[in-house]
Amino acid sequence: MMRFRAARPEMGQLVPRVLDAAERLDRDALRALQGERLAQTVQRAHRSPLYRKDLSEWLGFAPSEDVAAYRPLGLDDLDRLPITTKADLRAASNIEDVLAVPLENVRRWHTSSGTTGRRTPMGYSEADMVNWGRLIQRNLAATGIMAGSRVHNAYGYGLFTGGLGFETGLGPMGATVLPASSVPDVEQHLELMHQHRAQALLSTPGLALALAEAVERNPALRPPELQAGIFGGDGWSPALRRHIEVVLGIRAHDTYGLSEVLGPGVAHACDQGEGLHLYEDAFLPEVLDPVDGVPLTPGTDGELVLTTLLNEASPRLRYRTGDRVRIERERCPCGRTAARLINVVRADDVRLYAGRALAPNDIEAALLRMDAVAPTFRVVAPGRELDVLRLEVEPKASPPQDFERSVRRGMESVLDVPVEIRVLASGSLERSRGKRLRLVDEPWRAGGSA
Amino acid sequence: MMRFRAARPEMGQLVPRVLDAAERLDRDALRALQGERLAQTVQRAHRSPLYRKDLSEWLGFAPSEDVAAYRPLGLDDLDRLPITTKADLRAASNIEDVLAVPLENVRRWHTSSGTTGRRTPMGYSEADMVNWGRLIQRNLAATGIMAGSRVHNAYGYGLFTGGLGFETGLGPMGATVLPASSVPDVEQHLELMHQHRAQALLSTPGLALALAEAVERNPALRPPELQAGIFGGDGWSPALRRHIEVVLGIRAHDTYGLSEVLGPGVAHACDQGEGLHLYEDAFLPEVLDPVDGVPLTPGTDGELVLTTLLNEASPRLRYRTGDRVRIERERCPCGRTAARLINVVRADDVRLYAGRALAPNDIEAALLRMDAVAPTFRVVAPGRELDVLRLEVEPKASPPQDFERSVRRGMESVLDVPVEIRVLASGSLERSRGKRLRLVDEPWRAGGSA
């Protein structure tokens, strides 16, 4: 874990607060709480058209107002509950089909981004908004953000859950927020961060990387009081975390969430930086075999499946996240008792190159070992199984002699797959403020173009 | 005032609530309240570096914690207070210069859009956020929006005050909000409005017009439960209001605000539709001669100048809005006692054509008299004084014979200025979701291109 450079004068102003009681529950207490909340969740889900029929058949009774009717259902019955997929949410023709409360009890709608198909709607009741804020505040507190902290919230505000999701915690906490959504470029972000003396940055890793690139070119652009960042909404590697920490002189925290179960506020990294603490009092995790949906042995890599334990308006039973992950239950030195998610990657982004499975994060980590290459890249990958890894990269400055060959050899020695490199002019790959397009399905045109 | 078509089945669900007590104050009570709040405002402004020097010189004492020191200052002294311009706000090199509270008491930053130069920052304290929400709720209530109303909030969320400004009222009110910021196109807006059964739409007039155009082409796209809209953040004519009301089958309300004094929540139209009720308990209005800054006789057109009465973090003394307006004090049949702003137009957008001053709203109103022309247009106007009004317009469908000539004659007869028309292909002018670019300074290329 990267430590801060000693010269940072403002360091220590943002000090992580004490842990929330829910983060320190011992496993027996946590399991008892999960069991009770699972019964409430099934009761709620039973009211929702999305689950009513399946649950009525399985339970043998119609939705009941008495939670005691659901209590015989324990954590051990989890694998008998119905699985929920994105397709199930998409298929809901009427918005009330996905709700477990009357429509007038919904205070807020968000949706998925709709990049892979029809947007899936997510409704939040008043209680859901309060609960969301509390979960987010645990994430904020872990990075030292508190009342009066100056926060540059560059996540998109609007239907995307990032900006307004963090706002649900920042507002009641009393932080000083600049809602930096729709700021058009890196230069204006940095100018605004200087102007309001930002201490913390919330953004996608893509924007954080673009800000770091600008600061590398001109160190005077570094926001002088910036100390911490929470970067999520897109995958990134521990190597990129270290890079951002060094260049921006901050502590960078990973965060995890998805709009189909809540938004941000599902799991967050602590100061130890080893995996993401899942809020197990709010989400019950399973790791299933992505092919046949069978539960895997603890400690095995598989697809993360989440059951919500607090959602009132939009309960989700066993939602298949599409994320590949390993769960670590060993107690973290930070004191949090909840399970940690290790190596979260979008299953869709893992490809076979000469028989070896690699995620964009693996490629990013390998590139970051080489000083002369910019950490922005594209994998050109038509098809899902390939004989060679084809990479578009940029030199940081003008390319040194033999650049293409040295990058290719460096990558091959780390990743152990055949690599082809196309060298592009510095700065020519698009820097994204949202999700980064690191894997593109387009034909490979041989030869460099820098 | 356009009335709703009788066939609207859901009409009446959104019923305007009773007026807030502050909206029914008689003039004596209002003046007493304004006087007390002006003293508080000057006291606050005196703490801000932006005003400290000027006020200390004029008052003869340093900032005082005792509001009694400021009470001798009455409403009649208003014209002795310093004028504030956008340039003054821009010149503030340090963000704390524009604040009257310590930086840590700021809960939220917004800025102006920065389209005409450096962004001007605006800070809001906790009390400012609560107050902002209350002002917005008067606006919402006047259109019938209440707890549980389904609201499609399509204003930009983020640094722009529109989206989050309305949210400050919608959230505490308990409305059901879809934060429709960043929705990429008209089709997706309409789909989402169908999906969450929107009853009210908040947006710029430009987006409302684009939605109306889509519904005119295909009436099945009309969101069936939509009843009301609040459209602001950009100028629009009463003629466009009637057009939107007819096509969308809703009641359309104008709203007024500016980020330099608050954001939305400065003035709003009531059901009478004649001008915008200024929240005089929160803003003290003056109408000055835009050239020499001398106060004008009541009832004369001039530049609106506003002094904030409630702002805690960012008080503004006599802020020159740059908007041309007439103030009407005659009591409105709706029961609101505050002054109304009539014919608000951006002074910068008023141009002389053959010696006649016209705003884009005048041109829009004239175009809307003609059925065959789309209400989207551009005035091509290099320079500020012109001998002829040069307009780019579009036919709604394929242009009827003699289209150019009939539009030219129609416009000339209504506006009484020489007109040149360039006919563009239907749909070729950009439909903006934000501010509409209706006045462009580029050379006129003679001849049609449809």
Side-chain angles (χ1 to χ4, degrees):
Chain A
M1 172 74 193
M2 184 66 207
R3 290 290 147 202
F4 294 104
R5 289 175 292 185
R8 306 267 312 107
E10 305 284 341
M11 205 45 64
Q13 258 194 25
L14 293 186
V15 179
R17 288 198 314 192
V18 289
L19 306 192
D20 190 282
E23 297 177 291
R24 288 181 278 109
L25 289 175
D26 68 39
R27 194 129 287 272
D28 287 344
L30 184 59
R31 280 186 66 85
L33 184 71
Q34 286 175 329
E36 177 62 22
R37 288 182 175 173
L38 179 62
Q40 289 165 0
T41 294
V42 177
Q43 182 188 36
R44 289 184 193 123
H46 204 177
R47 291 187 202 121
S48 163
L50 186 64
Y51 297 109
R52 191 176 299 147
K53 191 166 161 290
D54 277 1
L55 285 178
S56 291
E57 276 173 19
W58 179 53
L59 293 164
F61 57 85
S64 165
E65 289 307 305
D66 182 9
V67 73
Y70 299 89
R71 281 215 185 95
L73 189 79
L75 296 180
D76 295 336
D77 298 310
L78 191 56
D79 62 0
R80 299 168 61 201
L81 289 172
I83 290 267
T84 314
T85 65
K86 194 155 181 136
D88 296 326
L89 302 181
R90 276 203 191 113
S93 54
N94 186 319
I95 197 129
E96 288 171 274
D97 288 354
V98 299
L99 289 179
V101 299
L103 185 52
E104 62 265 29
N105 289 12
V106 173
R107 291 287 74 81
R108 177 80 68 71
W109 288 107
H110 282 283
T111 71
S112 63
S113 59
T115 41
T116 60
R118 195 175 171 214
R119 291 169 185 272
T120 57
M122 179 82 183
Y124 304 76
S125 69
E126 189 78 45
D128 290 331
M129 297 297 294
V130 171
N131 173 56
W132 197 3
R134 288 188 185 139
L135 294 176
I136 289 289
Q137 284 178 7
R138 295 195 213 162
N139 193 344
L140 299 171
T143 67
I145 295 171
M146 61 191 96
S149 295
R150 298 184 290 279
V151 179
H152 190 84
N153 185 2
Y155 286 115
Y157 279 67
L159 272 182
F160 173 59
T161 48
L164 286 171
F166 272 101
E167 190 73 40
T168 60
L170 290 162
M173 174 180 262
T176 298
V177 184
L178 184 119
S181 190
S182 81
V183 172
D185 54 42
V186 168
E187 288 66 32
Q188 285 199 42
H189 273 292
L190 290 167
E191 188 186 333
L192 285 163
M193 289 167 83
H194 275 260
Q195 212 177 4
H196 76 106
R197 298 168 49 191
Q199 297 172 303
L201 166 67
L202 314 185
S203 80
T204 58
L207 180 61
L209 174 58
L211 295 172
E213 282 191 303
V215 168
E216 259 191 314
R217 283 192 302 272
N218 179 4
L221 294 179
R222 202 194 88 82
E225 302 188 36
L226 195 66
Q227 299 164 58
I230 303 179
F231 307 123
D234 196 12
W236 57 310
S237 61
L240 183 59
R241 186 183 77 223
R242 285 186 291 273
H243 174 75
I244 290 171
E245 287 187 325
V246 169
V247 176
L248 292 182
I250 64 171
R251 190 168 293 190
H253 299 256
D254 199 357
T255 188
Y256 176 77
L258 58 163
S259 66
E260 291 85 356
V261 302
L262 184 74
V266 174
H268 79 266
C270 67
D271 275 343
Q272 302 297 318
E274 290 297 322
L276 298 126
H277 289 272
L278 181 74
Y279 304 133
E280 274 196 279
D281 53 314
F283 303 98
L284 202 52
E286 297 170 89
V287 175
L288 304 188
D289 184 308
V291 178
D292 57 19
V294 171
L296 295 172
T297 338
T300 315
D301 266 42
E303 182 173 356
L304 180 66
V305 170
L306 294 174
T307 296
T308 63
L309 294 176
L310 288 173
N311 286 11
E312 187 180 74
S314 309
R316 297 280 182 258
L317 300 180
R318 309 184 80 209
Y319 182 74
R320 286 185 67 154
T321 64
D323 290 322
R324 202 193 61 183
V325 71
R326 177 167 61 82
I327 285 193
E328 171 66 65
R329 293 209 179 268
E330 201 186 318
R331 198 169 177 135
C332 180
C334 77
R336 288 177 184 81
T337 51
R340 274 172 289 154
L341 312 179
I342 313 283
N343 284 341
V344 185
V345 288
R346 289 290 309 159
D348 275 355
D349 291 348
V350 178
R351 305 276 172 111
L352 287 174
Y353 304 93
R356 194 164 143 68
L358 291 176
N361 282 0
D362 302 319
I363 296 156
E364 178 175 276
L367 269 183
L368 278 155
R369 288 162 167 253
M370 286 175 280
D371 279 342
V373 196
T376 299
F377 65 93
R378 299 200 321 167
V379 181
V380 180
R384 303 195 54 89
E385 296 195 23
L386 304 128
D387 50 354
V388 58
L389 168 62
R390 295 190 169 96
L391 267 186
E392 293 179 338
V393 299
E394 294 176 5
K396 274 190 184 162
S398 62
Q401 221 177 357
D402 240 11
F403 180 75
E404 182 271 335
R405 191 164 143 263
S406 73
V407 173
R408 177 167 52 79
R409 290 203 172 170
M411 296 301 282
E412 286 180 341
S413 74
V414 174
L415 297 175
D416 197 23
V417 296
V419 174
E420 279 180 30
I421 297 288
R422 180 158 52 211
V423 180
L424 305 179
S426 185
S428 60
L429 286 169
E430 197 191 324
R431 268 63 176 165
S432 172
R433 34 179 302 150
K435 291 189 194 294
R436 293 176 292 168
L437 194 67
R438 299 190 293 179
L439 214 66
V440 293
D441 284 326
E442 56 183 51
W444 178 254
R445 293 150 293 157
S449 57
Chain B
M1 172 73 196
M2 184 65 208
R3 289 292 146 202
F4 293 103
R5 289 176 292 184
R8 304 269 311 105
E10 306 285 338
M11 205 44 65
Q13 257 193 27
L14 294 185
V15 179
R17 286 200 316 194
V18 291
L19 306 191
D20 190 282
E23 297 177 291
R24 288 180 278 111
L25 288 175
D26 70 38
R27 194 130 287 274
D28 287 345
L30 184 59
R31 281 184 67 84
L33 184 70
Q34 287 175 328
E36 177 61 21
R37 289 182 173 172
L38 179 62
Q40 289 165 0
T41 294
V42 176
Q43 183 189 35
R44 289 185 193 123
H46 204 177
R47 292 187 201 122
S48 164
L50 185 65
Y51 296 110
R52 191 178 297 145
K53 189 165 163 290
D54 277 1
L55 285 178
S56 291
E57 277 172 18
W58 177 54
L59 294 163
F61 57 86
S64 166
E65 288 305 307
D66 181 10
V67 72
Y70 299 89
R71 283 218 182 89
L73 188 81
L75 295 180
D76 295 338
D77 297 310
L78 190 57
D79 62 1
R80 298 168 62 201
L81 288 172
I83 290 266
T84 315
T85 65
K86 193 155 184 135
D88 296 326
L89 302 182
R90 276 203 190 113
S93 54
N94 187 320
I95 198 124
E96 289 171 274
D97 287 355
V98 299
L99 289 179
V101 298
L103 184 52
E104 62 264 30
N105 290 10
V106 173
R107 292 286 76 81
R108 176 79 70 73
W109 288 108
H110 283 283
T111 71
S112 64
S113 60
T115 42
T116 60
R118 194 175 171 215
R119 290 169 186 272
T120 57
M122 179 81 183
Y124 304 77
S125 68
E126 189 76 46
D128 290 331
M129 295 298 294
V130 171
N131 173 57
W132 196 4
R134 288 188 185 140
L135 295 175
I136 288 290
Q137 284 178 6
R138 294 194 211 164
N139 193 343
L140 298 171
T143 67
I145 295 170
M146 62 190 97
S149 295
R150 298 184 291 278
V151 180
H152 190 86
N153 185 2
Y155 286 114
Y157 280 67
L159 272 180
F160 174 59
T161 49
L164 286 171
F166 272 101
E167 189 73 39
T168 61
L170 289 162
M173 174 180 262
T176 297
V177 184
L178 185 119
S181 190
S182 81
V183 173
D185 53 44
V186 168
E187 288 66 33
Q188 285 199 41
H189 273 293
L190 290 168
E191 189 186 333
L192 286 163
M193 290 167 82
H194 275 260
Q195 212 177 6
H196 77 105
R197 298 168 48 191
Q199 298 172 304
L201 167 67
L202 314 185
S203 80
T204 57
L207 179 61
L209 174 57
L211 294 173
E213 282 191 304
V215 168
E216 258 189 315
R217 283 193 303 272
N218 178 4
L221 294 179
R222 203 193 88 79
E225 302 188 36
L226 195 67
Q227 298 165 58
I230 303 179
F231 307 124
D234 195 13
W236 56 310
S237 62
L240 183 59
R241 187 182 77 225
R242 284 186 291 274
H243 174 75
I244 290 171
E245 287 187 324
V246 170
V247 176
L248 293 183
I250 63 171
R251 190 167 292 188
H253 299 256
D254 199 359
T255 188
Y256 176 77
L258 58 163
S259 65
E260 290 85 356
V261 303
L262 184 74
V266 174
H268 78 265
C270 66
D271 276 342
Q272 303 295 318
E274 290 297 321
L276 298 126
H277 290 272
L278 181 75
Y279 305 134
E280 274 197 278
D281 53 313
F283 304 97
L284 203 52
E286 297 171 89
V287 175
L288 303 188
D289 185 308
V291 178
D292 58 17
V294 171
L296 294 172
T297 339
T300 314
D301 265 41
E303 183 173 355
L304 178 66
V305 170
L306 294 173
T307 296
T308 64
L309 295 176
L310 287 174
N311 286 11
E312 188 180 73
S314 310
R316 298 281 181 258
L317 301 180
R318 308 183 80 209
Y319 182 75
R320 286 187 67 155
T321 64
D323 291 321
R324 200 194 63 183
V325 71
R326 176 167 63 82
I327 283 191
E328 172 65 64
R329 294 210 179 268
E330 201 186 316
R331 195 165 178 138
C332 179
C334 77
R336 288 178 183 79
T337 52
R340 272 171 292 156
L341 312 179
I342 314 282
N343 284 342
V344 185
V345 287
R346 288 291 309 160
D348 275 355
D349 291 348
V350 178
R351 305 277 173 107
L352 287 175
Y353 304 93
R356 191 164 146 68
L358 291 175
N361 282 359
D362 303 319
I363 296 156
E364 177 175 279
L367 269 184
L368 277 155
R369 287 162 166 254
M370 285 176 283
D371 280 340
V373 195
T376 299
F377 65 93
R378 301 202 318 169
V379 181
V380 180
R384 304 196 53 89
E385 298 196 19
L386 304 128
D387 50 356
V388 57
L389 168 62
R390 295 189 170 97
L391 267 186
E392 292 178 340
V393 299
E394 294 176 3
K396 273 191 185 162
S398 62
Q401 221 177 358
D402 241 12
F403 180 75
E404 181 273 334
R405 189 161 146 264
S406 73
V407 174
R408 177 167 52 81
R409 289 203 171 168
M411 296 300 283
E412 286 180 339
S413 75
V414 175
L415 298 175
D416 199 22
V417 297
V419 173
E420 278 180 28
I421 297 288
R422 181 160 49 212
V423 180
L424 305 180
S426 184
S428 60
L429 287 169
E430 197 191 323
R431 269 64 177 165
S432 173
R433 37 179 300 150
K435 289 186 195 295
R436 293 176 292 169
L437 193 67
R438 301 190 292 180
L439 215 66
V440 293
D441 284 327
E442 56 182 52
W444 180 253
R445 293 150 294 156
S449 57

